Amino acid sequence: MAQNPGDLRQLHGRGMNPISDAYTLPADFPEFDRLNLQHQIWKTVQRGLCPIPKSDLDVLLAPKANGAPSAILDLGCGSGIWCTDMAKIFPHANVVGFDLARSSPSDTPENCFFLQGNILDGLKDFYGQFDLVHSRTMVVHLKPNQRKWAINEIIKCVRPGGIVILADWDEPILSEHGQILPAAREDSEPGTPQSWLIRILNEVWHRSDPVLSVVRLAIRDALAENARVDQETITSALHNIPIGWDDGSIENGALLGQMMRMDLMEFVRAFKPVLQSRGVGEQVIDSWIEHADLEFSGADQRVITRLHSTWARILE
């Protein structure tokens, strides 16, 4: 994946997007590699690029009666890998990726295009232009009071009869028995069920504990309250994924466990520059990361994270 380093803001050794410092993850080569790994996790749990069967996508994305191509929009496209994969599978459709950082994959098909911008500036230029609008692990990075507005903007981009897909990471971390884990504390007794990942995210995103904001519920509520959405078509899928261990009760449990472990190890390290910029000492951050790495190993306790997708059709 090609990315011009000159477009990035430098922060403690990592390249950040040049548009908004509200987004706390980098937008450089290492982060794009992590996002490409995350893409493989999503493909594995969804058995494809979307939670919707390909046969349904074939109908949705067929060329128009007048010969015009169908159109796909990916908001928060990151490295652009979902866009390029979709463009290869649907060569008769135009695919547009939109992100804070400039995406320019080296293998971009001719029917795939990338634009740079901020969803919080509004999406008026995209209103009513797309048959399929997709957004993955983007809404979770918005503040809770921004999410409904942003989802309504996303829905405005979908043509009548089109489909919107909002896929994201669920915010709580669970024990293997389904218990929501609180943020870890340095003074906790040994063996106390807790999550260092949640501790790090609470520090980065200024969240309180326990984590009460569950993005999948915010997504579903926003769709349910939007008059353009066909309420009978709202559908959700929730995937439990082990971190660093093999949950034999799910398909590909061992593979998913190891991929998620690798993803999250890089994820927590990617937050180091923003924590340093806020005055958190490097030794403190490294200690948190060391604890998180142990959590991701599944050695002391087995923990679960969740991915979810919610999709719906827009009324004709």
Side-chain angles (χ1 to χ4, degrees):
M1 298 292 172
Q3 173 74 34
N4 180 2
D7 285 343
L8 303 180
R9 295 180 293 111
Q10 296 302 309
L11 184 67
H12 292 279
R14 295 295 299 268
M16 314 297 285
N17 80 79
I19 293 178
S20 172
D21 59 7
Y23 183 75
T24 48
L25 286 170
D28 52 15
F29 284 118
E31 177 63 7
F32 279 6
D33 286 342
R34 186 189 72 81
L35 292 175
N36 291 343
L37 171 61
Q38 189 181 94
H39 179 67
Q40 299 306 317
I41 295 172
W42 278 101
K43 284 177 63 177
T44 301
V45 298
Q46 293 182 151
R47 301 180 181 178
L49 294 174
C50 291
I52 300 170
K54 185 177 182 299
S55 57
D56 293 347
L57 291 176
D58 288 338
V59 174
L60 175 70
L61 300 175
K64 310 301 179 187
N66 62 4
S70 55
I72 302 167
L73 175 64
D74 186 28
L75 294 166
C77 64
S79 70
I81 191 170
W82 186 89
C83 296
T84 57
D85 280 2
M86 286 292 287
K88 292 170 185 176
I89 294 173
F90 298 98
H92 53 277
N94 288 330
V95 182
V96 176
F98 183 79
D99 198 271
L100 288 168
R102 189 172 71 87
S103 301
S104 54
S106 58
D107 58 345
T108 303
E110 292 184 357
N111 61 319
C112 187
F113 314 90
F114 292 97
L115 299 173
Q116 191 172 4
N118 188 349
I119 187 175
L120 294 179
D121 292 333
L123 298 171
K124 189 174 181 179
D125 290 344
F126 296 148
Y127 284 2
Q129 296 186 33
F130 297 92
D131 302 282
L132 176 66
V133 176
H134 173 268
S135 180
R136 191 171 70 192
T137 57
M138 188 273 291
V139 176
V140 72
H141 291 283
L142 302 177
K143 295 179 181 178
N145 63 359
Q146 297 171 329
R147 291 171 179 174
K148 182 178 178 180
W149 178 88
I151 292 167
N152 287 335
E153 281 292 291
I154 292 170
I155 292 169
K156 290 176 183 177
C157 300
V158 189
R159 291 170 174 161
I163 291 177
V164 59
I165 301 173
L166 299 171
D168 226 305
W169 176 67
D170 211 33
E171 292 167 274
I173 295 296
L174 310 178
S175 73
E176 64 177 311
H177 306 297
Q179 172 192 4
I180 294 177
L181 297 178
R185 297 164 49 112
E186 284 86 353
D187 59 358
S188 295
E189 292 292 330
T192 300
Q194 58 183 358
S195 172
W196 284 96
L197 173 58
I198 293 298
R199 169 65 182 276
I200 293 170
L201 291 177
N202 286 357
E203 297 282 349
V204 171
W205 290 340
H206 302 297
R207 303 186 307 185
S208 59
D209 199 61
V211 178
L212 301 177
S213 174
V214 181
V215 70
R216 64 185 166 89
L217 302 181
I219 288 172
R220 190 173 183 91
D221 288 348
L223 291 176
E225 294 169 11
N226 191 293
R228 293 193 65 225
V229 174
D230 183 345
Q231 299 298 305
E232 294 183 359
T233 67
I234 298 176
T235 310
S236 295
L238 182 63
H239 307 281
N240 286 348
I241 302 179
I243 305 175
W245 58 284
D246 177 11
D247 184 348
S249 67
I250 64 171
E251 185 177 10
N252 298 309
L255 174 63
L256 286 168
Q258 290 308 311
M259 287 197 295
M260 186 58 76
R261 176 174 181 261
M262 294 169 60
D263 176 34
L264 291 178
M265 287 179 68
E266 294 305 316
F267 184 57
V268 294
R269 284 162 173 79
F271 286 121
K272 188 171 181 178
V274 73
L275 289 169
Q276 288 179 286
S277 72
R278 294 176 185 172
V280 182
E282 187 170 7
Q283 289 186 336
V284 173
I285 300 170
D286 288 343
S287 174
W288 293 348
I289 290 173
E290 182 179 351
H291 285 299
D293 284 349
L294 182 61
E295 178 177 320
F296 302 151
S297 74
D300 288 347
Q301 63 175 343
R302 291 178 167 183
V303 298
I304 292 170
T305 188
R306 296 190 293 196
L307 301 179
H308 63 87
S309 299
T310 302
W311 61 99
R313 191 174 290 274
I314 303 305
L315 292 168
E316 299 278 359

